[in-house]
Amino acid sequence: VQLQASGGGLVEAGGSLRLSCSASGSIFSINDMSWYRQAPGKERELVARITSGGFTKYGDSVKGRFAISRDNAKHTVNLRMNSLEPEDTGVYYCHAEVEVTLNSLAWFWGQGTLVTVSS
C-alpha cells in the first residue's frame, strides 16, 4: 500500500491550502485516516483524524481552522487549512490504518508534503 500526498507549498499568514492524500495498492478497506505534522525541532503531532464513518478529531491548535474529509470509494483524505499561521509550518504526513485483507491490519505513512506559512 502506498500513500501519496500532495498540495503543500508556501502561503502567507491568513491564507489557505488544501492537502490531499491518495491510497493505492492491496486495500480491503481503510479504517482511520489522519494527518500529522512535524515542525522543525519538534515531535510529530496529530493534526486531524477521520474514521471510515466520518467521525473527526482535531488537534487543539487547529480546531475551527482546519477541516478533514475523505472519499471512501476513492481511498482519499483531504485537509482544508484556513487562517494559516506561521506556527502551522512543517512537513505534513498522511497516515492510514488499512485492512489489507479481511481482519489483517497494517499502518502506512505517506511521504510528507511541506507547508510553509510566512508572516
Side-chain angles (χ1 to χ4, degrees):
V1 175
Q2 292 186 330
L3 301 180
Q4 182 68 42
S6 61
L10 174 64
V11 64
E12 292 184 349
S16 298
L17 280 175
R18 181 176 181 269
L19 305 183
S20 296
C21 178
S22 179
S24 61
S26 178
I27 298 171
F28 181 76
S29 66
I30 302 179
N31 295 333
D32 294 354
M33 301 188 81
S34 305
W35 287 96
Y36 287 76
R37 69 185 180 193
Q38 188 164 20
K42 295 187 176 181
E43 294 185 353
R44 193 172 296 189
E45 63 174 354
L46 175 69
V47 176
R49 174 173 294 138
I50 185 167
T51 69
S52 58
F55 291 100
T56 59
K57 176 181 179 179
Y58 294 93
D60 288 341
S61 63
V62 307
K63 286 180 181 177
R65 299 188 297 122
F66 290 12
I68 190 170
S69 62
R70 66 187 283 174
D71 185 324
N72 289 333
K74 296 181 179 178
H75 299 322
T76 58
V77 61
N78 301 304
L79 184 69
R80 178 67 180 178
M81 305 184 293
N82 296 323
S83 302
L84 282 161
E85 304 168 352
E87 293 73 23
D88 295 316
T89 294
V91 179
Y92 284 67
Y93 299 90
C94 60
H95 180 269
E97 180 182 87
V98 179
E99 201 168 354
V100 293
T101 59
L102 185 61
N103 295 324
S104 176
L105 292 178
W107 292 264
F108 299 91
W109 290 96
Q111 84 283 10
T113 184
L114 178 62
V115 172
T116 304
V117 184
S118 63
S119 57

